Amino acid sequence: MGNPTGFIDVARQLPEDRDAKERLIDWQEVHEHMSEADIKEQASRCMDCGVPFCMSGKSQYAPAVAGCPVNNLIPEWNDLIYRGRWKEALLRLHKTNNFPEFTGRVCPAPCEGSCVLGINADPVTIKHHEVSIIERGFAEGWVVANPPKQRTGQTVAVIGSGPAGLAAAAQLNSAGHLVTLYERADRIGGLLMYGIPNMKLQKEVVERRVQIMAEEGINFVTHTEVGKDISMQRLADEFDSVVIATGATVPRDLPVLGRNAKGVHFAMEFLTKNTKSLLDSKHEDGAYISAKGKDVVVIGGGDTGTDCVGTSLRHGCNSVIQLEIMPQPPETRLDNNPWPQWPKKLLVDYGQEESIAVQGADPRQYLVMTKKIEQDDNGQVNAVHTIGVEWKKNPEGQMIPYEVAGSEKVYPADLVLLAMGFLGPEGKILDDLGVEKDSRSNAKADYGEFDTSVKGVFACGDARRGQSLIVWAINEGRGAAQAVDQYLMGKTYLPK
Ligand code: FAD
């Protein structure tokens, strides 16, 4: 700890985000960066605690996991930043995290939720330090391809190029195995590319990393859907091992009257087409669902819904609201959600900030259930009918939503986006090879082992644990790589 009184002397500070109205006219990232001097001062707030909960990533505080799931060596690099030893900070950061440029931008930062300073003060700005270290590394030319010195002669097929597949591929390649990564989309990155919008994560950031991985010897095969363009059996026959990292992208549907009206779409269709058209032609091809001039109703109050709000506002929608069936979270942690758990409290994310700037109000409406989608004579959606709910226990003791009489509302709508979470992975490739599934239809494989019911076939990321976070996908990709290496070589030196 460079400055033993830093946590007393210095207040938490983050760079201002770009002005909410100004950033709506482009698709560039919302967040700004801080000066080196300010970052150094912020790093001095880290107390280098005897027990650094921030890096623990343990689930003993169930249901919430506390600390960083990839066990980033946070106090070490905070100290190195304070001392101006950025290159060493980068080496320590890369030791546990293959892609700090992704987590440093879009991780919800469970590390900050369990920072010891957060017990009675504002936590250290850990996430901003992470992105600052890796961006300094790129700017200085320290992040370069580092191909393995020797090849083992073993081959691995990785299916899916999201953070789990990319982390598994990077680790397996570093161990000397020849990795071929199959992706059905035209671009590499999974939800990093087509899911999370540009204003949260610019796609050059993903492409920059993929380029380095290609230089390190990973063979990327796009436009290839396993189970359709190439069979699972063929991969199992031709490769020494197979890693399934196909994500969990089956969306939860809304079985109400009018669901099939024109103008009702899953959030992922809206977000994916938007990013693809933006990257292909800066939207000139028109191959996206436009919210311009429309009244937009987003059903789902989570992060995917927020991305739909931010995207709709950038299109120039007439209005946008976000409906959520759950109650509004509290302003501060509740007693049953103590430190070091992730604090479940009301957050105003970028999409809500932008809505407040443009519409004068947070777009979220809580405790609202959609009853019906109304359509006009042409089958085009024109309104969403809702009713208020309250959550109470049913006779079996389960909390369920009860409708509140007299709380019916009708919202005008030209575009309805369904963002109510995901049910699990698309099952075909699991079925093709007879990979056993768990009760939630994910590929069945124990955490830490990652091997499925089929010998030599491993599973990781959202395809194994259900829709989660990038940091967990990286953790699982690294863990699966370790398990594959052990399977192929009888021993492994790969870290998790
Ligand atoms: P994915 O990223 O889903 O990648 C799976 C890949 O497999 C896809 O590219 C898919 O095309 C490919 N694939 C599937 N089947 C096949 C096949 N048969 N053949 C070939 N390829 C196939 N997490 C955060 O931490 N922060 C955020 O801000 C955040 N925002 C999000 C916003 C949205 C809109 C969504 C939907 C999720 C968000 N998440 C966020 C969650 C995070 O993106 C995921 O948890 C993470 O990407 C999972 O990684 P993965 O590698 O397991 O799967």
Side-chain angles (χ1 to χ4, degrees):
M1 177 174 33
N3 177 4
T5 59
F7 71 101
I8 300 169
D9 304 336
V10 180
R12 178 181 161 106
Q13 193 202 328
L14 279 170
E16 294 266 309
D17 286 344
R18 295 171 59 217
D19 176 77
K21 275 194 179 153
E22 202 179 288
R23 69 197 191 214
L24 282 175
I25 57 176
D26 63 40
W27 297 87
Q28 300 302 303
E29 282 181 2
V30 162
H31 300 300
E32 297 277 21
H33 297 278
M34 258 204 269
S35 74
E36 185 174 344
D38 285 343
I39 298 169
K40 181 178 165 170
E41 203 172 46
Q42 289 298 309
S44 81
R45 298 184 70 238
C46 178
M47 298 182 288
D48 195 10
C49 313
V51 183
F53 283 81
C54 58
M55 55 181 275
S56 64
K58 294 283 181 223
S59 51
Q60 71 265 44
Y61 308 101
V65 170
C68 175
V70 291
N71 310 115
N72 272 341
L73 303 165
I74 294 162
E76 289 190 33
W77 36 260
N78 278 335
D79 185 51
L80 289 164
I81 292 177
Y82 180 71
R83 293 171 197 280
R85 288 155 58 179
W86 287 84
K87 196 167 183 181
E88 286 164 82
L90 179 67
L91 288 173
R92 300 307 283 161
L93 179 54
H94 262 156
K95 239 182 156 38
T96 55
N97 188 348
N98 302 74
F99 312 123
E101 66 272 36
F102 307 152
T103 44
R105 282 179 165 79
V106 294
C107 188
C111 52
E112 294 189 14
S114 60
C115 169
V116 172
L117 200 48
I119 297 174
N120 62 353
D122 290 331
V124 174
T125 45
I126 301 170
K127 177 173 155 183
H128 190 68
H129 299 171
E130 183 178 33
V131 75
S132 303
I133 296 170
I134 184 65
E135 287 309 318
R136 175 77 179 257
F138 274 108
E140 296 278 0
W142 296 332
V143 188
V144 289
N146 183 20
K149 306 263 176 308
Q150 283 181 331
R151 290 285 174 191
T152 59
Q154 302 286 330
T155 57
V156 184
V158 176
I159 313 168
S161 71
L166 288 176
Q171 292 294 97
L172 287 163
N173 184 61
S174 75
H177 309 307
L178 271 176
V179 180
T180 304
L181 192 150
Y182 292 94
E183 171 55 57
R184 64 184 171 186
D186 60 339
R187 289 181 172 90
I188 294 293
L191 293 176
L192 299 166
M193 178 60 67
Y194 291 134
I196 300 172
N198 240 54
M199 48 278 191
K200 271 164 75 180
L201 178 64
Q202 269 169 229
K203 303 313 159 195
E204 296 84 342
V205 173
V206 182
E207 284 159 356
R208 180 178 68 176
R209 179 61 72 171
V210 172
Q211 177 62 34
I212 290 176
M213 291 173 66
E215 287 166 22
E216 287 174 338
I218 295 168
N219 180 23
F220 290 103
V221 183
T222 54
H223 297 96
T224 304
E225 181 167 347
V226 177
K228 191 169 143 213
D229 303 314
I230 181 169
S231 74
M232 249 326 239
Q233 191 57 55
R234 190 169 146 201
L235 293 191
D237 292 343
E238 290 183 1
F239 289 85
D240 296 307
S241 181
V242 177
V243 178
I244 298 170
T246 48
T249 42
V250 175
R252 180 171 286 114
D253 210 342
L254 183 69
V256 295
L257 193 66
R259 158 65 184 90
N260 293 325
K262 285 182 218 152
V264 180
H265 302 271
F266 284 120
M268 286 309 295
E269 186 192 356
F270 178 67
L271 294 173
T272 302
K273 286 186 173 162
N274 180 68
T275 301
K276 180 158 166 51
S277 172
L278 179 69
L279 297 179
D280 285 354
S281 68
K282 295 197 167 63
H283 282 153
E284 279 180 17
D285 60 10
Y288 65 103
I289 301 161
S290 175
K292 190 172 172 53
K294 294 182 181 164
D295 292 316
V296 183
V297 175
V298 178
I299 302 181
D303 291 345
T304 304
T306 300
D307 291 335
C308 291
V309 170
T311 302
S312 299
L313 288 168
R314 277 166 182 73
H315 285 177
C317 63
N318 185 48
S319 72
V320 58
I321 55 162
Q322 202 180 351
L323 305 180
E324 170 59 52
I325 196 169
M326 299 303 288
Q328 177 173 324
E331 301 270 338
T332 53
R333 279 179 192 275
L334 295 181
D335 288 347
N336 64 1
N337 172 220
W339 178 93
Q341 289 179 1
W342 169 248
K344 289 182 219 135
K345 56 183 190 180
L346 183 69
L347 294 174
V348 179
D349 204 348
Y350 78 104
Q352 287 96 38
E353 266 176 22
E354 291 163 358
S355 166
I356 293 166
V358 175
Q359 310 187 120
D362 193 311
R364 291 170 292 188
Q365 317 275 322
Y366 292 93
L367 293 170
V368 173
M369 185 155 79
T370 304
K371 293 289 287 179
K372 187 176 94 173
I373 294 172
E374 188 184 299
Q375 47 191 307
D376 64 17
D377 295 343
N378 298 319
Q380 166 67 41
V381 59
N382 60 14
V384 171
H385 293 242
T386 67
I387 190 159
V389 295
E390 59 179 326
W391 287 82
K392 287 193 291 197
K393 283 194 176 154
N394 67 7
E396 288 76 46
Q398 298 155 319
M399 290 294 278
I400 60 161
Y402 286 87
E403 295 183 5
V404 177
S407 63
E408 294 83 359
K409 280 193 179 159
V410 182
Y411 293 98
D414 308 304
L415 177 63
V416 174
L417 300 170
L418 307 178
M420 298 172 300
F422 299 87
L423 299 174
E426 294 163 40
K428 184 164 182 325
I429 66 165
L430 303 180
D431 296 338
D432 280 356
L433 213 57
V435 171
E436 222 180 296
K437 298 183 211 168
D438 67 16
S439 57
R440 295 179 302 150
S441 79
N442 301 319
K444 190 171 175 189
D446 286 339
Y447 179 71
E449 306 293 334
F450 301 102
D451 56 331
T452 68
S453 57
V454 179
K455 192 163 183 284
V457 177
F458 296 75
C460 60
D462 284 2
R464 193 203 69 81
R465 67 185 296 132
Q467 185 73 223
S468 180
L469 294 175
I470 290 163
V471 69
W472 276 115
I474 297 173
N475 164 282
E476 294 219 353
R478 291 169 68 89
Q482 196 188 44
V484 171
D485 193 35
Q486 175 73 40
Y487 167 78
L488 294 175
M489 309 302 286
K491 60 180 188 282
T492 181
Y493 300 107
L494 282 178
K496 258 207 292 191

